[in-house]
């Protein structure tokens, strides 16, 4: 199978390679529904040493405007902590202290500590994906990501990425597609 973007040599529908994905991602793909069929979510096998976005893009011939990052944010109001996920194109950064803080209605927002992000998501740091995150988390996706014909996102592990039509992310459970989440990096 050939990927619609990039120079990947090992490409298959992710639902056929659930054994290579962490349990929350595999479960979400098994329960997948939406306009884009699950079979159009592709798993591309990649070198985990090249998982960081800029290195990955160069190594596999993918534009930064075709890559999206998912970051876990911790919002605090008093003693209450809200975890949320934000998905933005790699050409931007999530406006955590402005947009995200206001959207969550918290006094302070920052990137969640690595141990929290990994422990609560069930995914590896550097590979967190919006597919399979806890249902209670707000999931904010910048509209520029859903407008991208094909986008690369994490697979839940540092080895491998998911490649799918950007519009597929708009059908994830609890997603909010928003304008202005991603700001110039």
């Amino acid at each position: 199978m050939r990927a619609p973007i990039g120079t990947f040599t090992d490409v298959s529908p992710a639902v056929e390679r659930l054994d290579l994905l962490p349990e929350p991602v595999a479960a979400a793909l098994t329960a997948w529904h939406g306009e884009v069929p699950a079979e159009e979510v592709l798993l591309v096998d990649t070198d985990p040493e090249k998982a960081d976005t800029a290195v990955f893009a160069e190594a596999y011939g993918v534009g930064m405007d075709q890559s999206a990052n998912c970051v876990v944010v911790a919002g605090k109001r008093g003693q209450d902590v809200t975890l949320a996920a934000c998905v933005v194109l790699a050409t931007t950064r999530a406006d955590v202290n402005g947009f995200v803080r206001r959207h969550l209605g918290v006094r302070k927002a920052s990137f969640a500590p690595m141990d929290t992000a990994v422990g609560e998501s069930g995914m590896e740091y550097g590979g967190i994906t919006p597919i399979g995150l806890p249902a209670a988390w707000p999931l904010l996706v910048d509209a520029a990501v859903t407008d991208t014909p094909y986008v690369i996102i994490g697979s839940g592990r540092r080895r491998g990425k998911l490649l799918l039509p950007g519009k597929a992310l708009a059908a994830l459970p609890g997603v909010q597609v928003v304008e202005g989440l991603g700001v110039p990096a």
Side-chain angles (χ1 to χ4, degrees), residues 84-110:
C86 302
V87 182
V88 296
L89 288 177
T91 54
T92 65
R93 62 176 177 77
D95 184 8
V96 174
N97 291 312
F99 186 94
V100 176
R101 181 182 55 77
R102 287 188 303 275
H103 191 83
L104 296 178
V106 296
R107 289 185 46 88
K108 181 181 178 191
S110 58

Side-chain angles (χ1 to χ4, degrees), residues 55-108:
V55 173
F56 177 89
E58 185 169 330
Y60 295 102
V62 175
M64 295 290 279
D65 60 344
Q66 297 172 311
S67 300
N69 293 317
C70 180
V71 296
V72 179
V73 174
K76 297 178 184 175
R77 178 173 284 285
Q79 298 300 320
D80 296 330
V81 177
T82 300
L83 294 177
C86 302
V87 182
V88 296
L89 288 177
T91 54
T92 65
R93 62 176 177 77
D95 184 8
V96 174
N97 291 312
F99 186 94
V100 176
R101 181 182 55 77
R102 287 188 303 275
H103 191 83
L104 296 178
V106 296
R107 289 185 46 88
K108 181 181 178 191

Side-chain angles (χ1 to χ4, degrees), residues 147-163:
D147 290 343
T148 303
Y150 287 94
V151 66
I152 287 279
I153 59 174
S155 68
R157 295 205 166 126
R158 285 189 61 85
R159 180 179 187 143
K161 300 279 186 182
L162 297 177
L163 171 59

Side-chain angles (χ1 to χ4, degrees), residues 4-179:
I5 61 172
T7 58
F8 306 104
T9 56
D10 188 352
V11 181
S12 55
V15 292
E16 294 178 9
R17 302 301 308 268
L18 298 176
D19 58 310
L20 298 178
L21 300 169
E23 190 280 326
V25 179
L29 288 168
T30 300
W32 186 269
H33 67 281
E35 178 183 332
V36 175
E39 294 75 23
E40 289 187 33
V41 179
L42 304 178
L43 177 66
V44 295
D45 190 26
T46 58
D47 181 348
E49 296 298 316
K50 297 178 180 172
D52 293 330
T53 307
V55 173
F56 177 89
E58 185 169 330
Y60 295 102
V62 175
M64 295 290 279
D65 60 344
Q66 297 172 311
S67 300
N69 293 317
C70 180
V71 296
V72 179
V73 174
K76 297 178 184 175
R77 178 173 284 285
Q79 298 300 320
D80 296 330
V81 177
T82 300
L83 294 177
C86 302
V87 182
V88 296
L89 288 177
T91 54
T92 65
R93 62 176 177 77
D95 184 8
V96 174
N97 291 312
F99 186 94
V100 176
R101 181 182 55 77
R102 287 188 303 275
H103 191 83
L104 296 178
V106 296
R107 289 185 46 88
K108 181 181 178 191
S110 58
F111 294 108
M114 180 176 69
D115 291 347
T116 300
V118 169
E120 296 293 325
S121 71
M123 301 178 199
E124 292 178 5
Y125 190 75
I128 293 177
T129 182
I131 298 173
L133 289 173
W137 289 14
L139 174 55
L140 308 177
V141 177
D142 192 276
V145 177
T146 60
D147 290 343
T148 303
Y150 287 94
V151 66
I152 287 279
I153 59 174
S155 68
R157 295 205 166 126
R158 285 189 61 85
R159 180 179 187 143
K161 300 279 186 182
L162 297 177
L163 171 59
L164 69 165
K167 66 183 178 182
L169 296 174
L172 292 175
V175 73
Q176 296 174 51
V177 177
V178 294
E179 298 278 348

